[in-house]
Amino acid sequence: MASVAPARDVWKDLRQDRFSLPILAGGEMETVEYAPEIEALLEDSPITAPSVAGDVRDFLAAGEFALAFDTMCSWIYEDELSIGEGYYERLVRLSADLGSRDLITRMRELVSG
């Protein structure tokens, strides 16, 4: 059985690498990479406002992955920006880990083509 790192070691790792989030799965510590996925979604998103993209990236740099994801999705939804089916499916998959499921469900109406 693999050993679980003490909390202080996990926090130290988070401060050094804010692009990964330790989670407890099956009694063992796993690292899930969210920042690259959110960054890719942001790059592929219909968001054009540099300030919004900057806010999302600031949240990523701070390790606030769920907030970055929710902010990006909220802007897309509130501005009624059209998204493709493939992009929507990527949002659905990530929302399983990061939350915002209700928002993602509502975003279905933005899917075109």
Side-chain angles (χ1 to χ4, degrees):
M1 181 165 126
S3 64
V4 176
R8 69 179 180 283
D9 293 341
V10 171
W11 181 247
K12 180 181 171 190
D13 291 343
L14 272 177
R15 288 190 317 238
Q16 291 173 355
D17 177 12
R18 291 186 247 184
F19 296 109
S20 60
L21 178 67
I23 60 171
L24 195 59
E28 295 184 21
M29 192 63 66
E30 265 182 38
T31 301
V32 178
E33 301 286 334
Y34 290 117
E37 291 182 57
I38 297 170
E39 180 68 37
L41 283 166
L42 181 61
E43 288 296 317
D44 296 341
S45 79
I47 293 173
T48 57
S51 61
V52 175
D55 288 346
V56 172
R57 287 188 176 102
D58 287 345
F59 290 135
L60 289 175
E64 296 287 348
F65 307 117
L67 188 54
F69 182 72
D70 186 71
T71 299
M72 179 183 66
C73 293
S74 293
W75 275 97
I76 293 170
Y77 182 74
E78 290 174 16
D79 285 356
E80 298 179 350
L81 302 174
S82 183
I83 57 176
E85 182 69 36
Y87 187 83
Y88 178 74
E89 291 303 321
R90 290 166 60 196
L91 294 176
V92 169
R93 282 192 301 274
L94 201 52
S95 74
D97 289 341
L98 296 177
S100 303
R101 288 185 183 137
D102 292 339
L103 173 59
I104 300 302
T105 300
R106 289 192 309 271
M107 289 179 74
R108 179 77 183 141
E109 68 191 47
L110 301 175
V111 175
S112 65

